[in-house]
Amino acid sequence: MKKEILRINNLNFHYTMTGKLENISLCIFEGECVGFLGLTYSGKDLLLQLLNGEIEEKEQEFSAYIAGQKIAGSRKLKEHVYRMTASNYTIDDWTVAEYIGLVGADWFQMVFRDRALEEETENYFREQGLELDVTRKMRELTELEKRVVDLVKAGKAGAKIVIVEDEFEGMGQADTKKFAGIMKGIIAGRMAVIVNSHSNMIASLLSDKYVIFSKGRIVKKCQKNYIKNDAHLERFLLRDTVISKKMSLDSYALKQTSEKNIVYCIKDMRLSEGRMEDFYFFKGEIVTFLALDMREKERIFMVLSGRRNEEGTSYIMDSKKYGGTNTDIFAGKKIVSIKCLGSQEEIFTEMSVGENLLLPSLQKISSLEYIISSNKMSRMLTEDMKTGEAEQSEIAGNLEMNELISLTLERWYIYHPRVLVLFEPFVECDMYGVSIVKSYIKKFANRGTSVIIVKSREEYVEDISDRMIRLDYPQ
């Protein structure tokens, strides 16, 4: 009989007006991989923050049972939890042995125990049935190997619960499936995994059960195969009014056009294999660049958007060739880009929603361009801002995730760019947020904007892309 790893009984916790948990009860057994599903502010993130010791409880007591033992307080619970995120792998100059040796060791021990540490780590890998050269640097590992090493580190640390909040950027479906199999072997008999991912694909590939949250409550616990499709899942995740809004967003259609007017061209752009290639972008076209390598993906975005100049690469805008470009030239040509959609980096947090809509980032649009356009944008504000997600007078820094996404995209939609370059636009999106982004992309394209998307995987873009260009995928 499987042992319990985590049990929570009838938890009620109120953190903020939007952050609450009501009557939460669940049990997770050893070897289980449970996907937590829910919209932003559904309660799943708040529960995981409590488990991971990220919230001071103050007057509210939070307790749970870990491996049958009652643990009181979020800080004590954190000792049994390992959080797996992409930021864990930024220490890329360390060897595998050193990275895993960070568990329970100080600098003095590590400096004078190098060989012993390597042998100890090698033995631990063998116990898990894994073969990996522990003297390799973390930066030399594949994305799959990095995740495996992190999971082994969790076991070495004595964690009982691994919270996976990694979007597995740089990994395709095949490698993610392979990781899921390795993960099941590592956690068997000793740990449990909670998957908290924005990606439907990742949640599906890693989980064998789902716990579904809505409005601070658990509304469904089930085996993964119980959920037949997205529409079935929506019944649990979305309120009737949100379902109606999502259906309206999803029904927005792309217009078919026979126009083949080139609005933007990049000549001699360097690709990862060292070859140079020209790329042409047409009016109203949606083009997705797929790149698994994270550094390469970001470099491609920076070059496509004109944020980085590379020797030999030139740009053609309005039939004129430019080399050594700067942001003022791109602003004047109405070529804009969004790198962190959904984050507060893209807005002015102290300004109101209305002010943000009328004041595009000065790094992308010159002050003169703004003055010329401000009257026009003011008139369009009432006509085009139809989301109804936030009042125009509300401070932008107070917005929820989907409202931030809407605000950022609406600002550029009002500006009517010729080219819009997006970097991983779905990475912070819940199910409703995906519909918001896809609807805006179609709106931009229907208005004549050439939309360029840079992503790792084809998830969410297969049905809207006119072209998908795979840059560094294995043949």
Side-chain angles (χ1 to χ4, degrees):
M1 184 175 177
K2 287 187 176 180
K3 296 180 181 178
E4 291 182 2
I5 291 294
L6 172 67
R7 175 178 286 278
I8 296 174
N9 295 324
N10 197 32
L11 169 65
N12 290 278
F13 188 90
H14 288 256
Y15 184 54
T16 63
M17 291 294 290
T18 55
K20 64 179 181 178
L21 297 167
E22 296 182 351
N23 303 317
I24 300 295
S25 296
L26 61 86
C27 183
I28 301 175
F29 293 91
E30 62 186 10
E32 285 189 337
C33 303
V34 180
F36 277 16
L37 305 182
L39 301 184
T40 308
Y41 303 107
S42 63
K44 66 182 181 72
D45 295 315
L46 177 58
L47 178 57
L48 292 177
Q49 286 171 341
L50 280 171
L51 287 173
N52 201 42
E54 297 175 45
I55 295 177
E56 295 289 340
E57 301 123 291
K58 298 181 180 178
E59 298 178 1
Q60 302 183 76
E61 182 180 343
F62 173 56
S63 62
Y65 290 86
I66 302 291
Q69 180 181 359
K70 185 176 181 179
I71 309 293
S74 187
R75 288 184 179 177
K76 290 288 186 181
L77 281 165
K78 183 181 180 180
E79 297 173 8
H80 303 274
V81 175
Y82 187 88
R83 187 163 172 255
M84 188 172 162
T85 71
S87 61
N88 291 3
Y89 323 125
T90 55
I91 312 178
D92 61 0
D93 197 44
W94 292 54
T95 67
V96 171
E98 288 168 339
Y99 180 72
I100 294 177
L102 286 171
V103 176
D106 57 32
W107 283 94
F108 183 83
Q109 289 177 314
M110 291 184 64
V111 168
F112 291 97
R113 288 185 64 243
D114 274 357
R115 184 55 202 151
L117 184 63
E118 289 173 4
E119 290 178 357
E120 181 183 334
T121 308
E122 283 174 352
N123 290 334
Y124 192 81
F125 267 89
R126 289 194 191 99
E127 289 172 10
Q128 312 305 314
L130 301 170
E131 290 292 335
L132 188 70
D133 183 356
V134 299
T135 65
R136 289 171 65 191
K137 299 283 188 182
M138 288 294 291
R139 64 169 174 267
E140 298 170 355
L141 303 183
T142 66
E143 296 299 323
L144 171 61
E145 289 171 334
K146 288 177 185 176
R147 270 76 178 184
V148 172
V149 167
D150 213 28
L151 201 55
V152 169
K153 182 179 177 182
K156 188 77 164 54
K160 291 296 183 182
I161 303 166
V162 179
I163 300 175
V164 177
E165 294 185 322
D166 188 336
E167 299 303 317
F168 290 78
E169 294 297 327
M171 288 176 61
Q173 186 168 333
D175 275 349
T176 306
K177 283 182 178 179
K178 188 174 181 180
F179 172 80
I182 295 171
M183 177 178 69
K184 294 291 284 186
I186 292 175
I187 69 172
R190 59 174 69 88
M191 292 185 287
V193 169
I194 297 173
V195 181
N196 185 34
S197 174
H198 291 290
S199 165
N200 289 347
M201 187 192 84
I202 296 302
S204 176
L205 291 178
L206 299 189
S207 308
D208 42 44
K209 293 183 178 179
Y210 288 147
V211 175
I212 304 173
F213 292 75
S214 179
K215 298 165 63 174
R217 294 172 176 264
I218 292 176
V219 295
K220 188 68 178 176
K221 303 171 189 173
C222 60
Q223 295 292 326
K224 177 179 63 177
N225 57 13
Y226 174 83
I227 301 298
K228 299 176 180 63
N229 49 43
D230 286 348
H232 189 196
L233 181 59
E234 287 173 12
R235 298 179 198 172
F236 302 106
L237 293 177
L238 307 177
R239 303 182 301 276
D240 288 342
T241 53
V242 180
I243 289 176
S244 177
K245 287 181 179 179
K246 184 180 183 300
M247 289 175 63
S248 176
L249 292 169
D250 291 342
S251 66
Y252 194 91
L254 274 167
K255 298 175 184 175
Q256 297 298 319
T257 177
S258 58
E259 289 187 61
K260 284 296 181 181
N261 299 327
I262 297 174
V263 295
Y264 186 45
C265 175
I266 301 177
K267 305 282 287 182
D268 294 321
M269 187 170 84
R270 177 174 56 84
L271 302 182
S272 57
E273 314 90 278
R275 76 175 192 272
M276 312 295 279
E277 192 163 330
D278 300 340
F279 293 98
Y280 298 86
F281 305 98
F282 300 93
K283 182 177 181 179
E285 184 186 38
I286 302 172
V287 180
T288 299
F289 284 82
L290 297 171
L292 281 175
D293 184 87
M294 288 187 287
R295 288 190 178 91
E296 178 66 5
K297 179 178 63 176
E298 184 171 358
R299 184 189 70 82
I300 290 294
F301 167 78
M302 299 294 278
V303 174
L304 287 170
S305 61
R307 297 190 184 199
R308 174 184 296 177
N309 298 324
E310 290 194 345
E311 186 178 355
T313 300
S314 58
Y315 302 82
I316 297 177
M317 296 173 275
D318 287 337
S319 301
K320 185 175 179 181
K321 187 175 181 179
Y322 296 87
T325 58
N326 59 56
T327 52
D328 286 339
I329 293 175
F330 279 77
K333 301 298 182 182
K334 286 201 169 184
I335 297 172
V336 299
S337 55
I338 302 173
K339 187 177 182 183
C340 303
L341 182 59
S343 78
Q344 295 191 350
E345 293 178 30
E346 295 290 339
I347 65 167
F348 294 91
T349 56
E350 300 302 319
M351 291 184 176
S352 70
V353 169
E355 289 168 336
N356 268 277
L357 287 167
L358 295 175
L359 185 62
S361 169
L362 295 179
Q363 292 183 350
K364 297 173 186 157
I365 295 179
S366 67
S367 56
L368 176 61
E369 189 78 17
Y370 168 69
I371 292 169
I372 293 171
S373 303
S374 59
N375 290 334
K376 178 183 176 184
M377 291 197 301
S378 181
R379 290 195 304 271
M380 293 176 66
L381 181 59
T382 304
E383 299 171 8
D384 289 336
M385 188 61 175
K386 298 175 181 177
T387 61
E389 295 293 335
E391 295 293 333
Q392 293 178 23
S393 60
E394 185 173 356
I395 298 302
N398 296 333
L399 299 183
E400 297 180 1
M401 180 62 68
N402 287 334
E403 293 169 339
L404 284 171
I405 290 170
S406 294
L407 172 59
T408 305
L409 291 169
E410 185 68 25
R411 178 172 60 185
W412 292 120
Y413 183 71
I414 290 172
Y415 187 66
H416 198 168
R418 299 176 66 195
V419 179
L420 175 66
V421 189
L422 301 172
F423 183 78
E424 288 289 358
F426 302 100
V427 75
E428 295 294 336
C429 291
D430 58 23
M431 179 177 282
Y432 182 47
V434 169
S435 291
I436 292 173
V437 175
K438 290 176 74 170
S439 175
Y440 266 104
I441 288 172
K442 288 184 278 188
K443 284 172 65 177
F444 276 105
N446 285 348
R447 191 186 255 189
T449 299
S450 178
V451 182
I452 304 170
I453 304 168
V454 183
K455 284 182 93 276
S456 284
R457 297 184 294 265
E458 57 266 41
E459 188 178 15
Y460 306 130
V461 295
E462 310 99 307
D463 60 331
I464 60 173
S465 298
D466 296 297
R467 285 188 285 154
M468 287 199 291
I469 301 169
R470 299 174 183 269
L471 296 179
D472 60 0
Y473 276 63
Q475 299 300 316

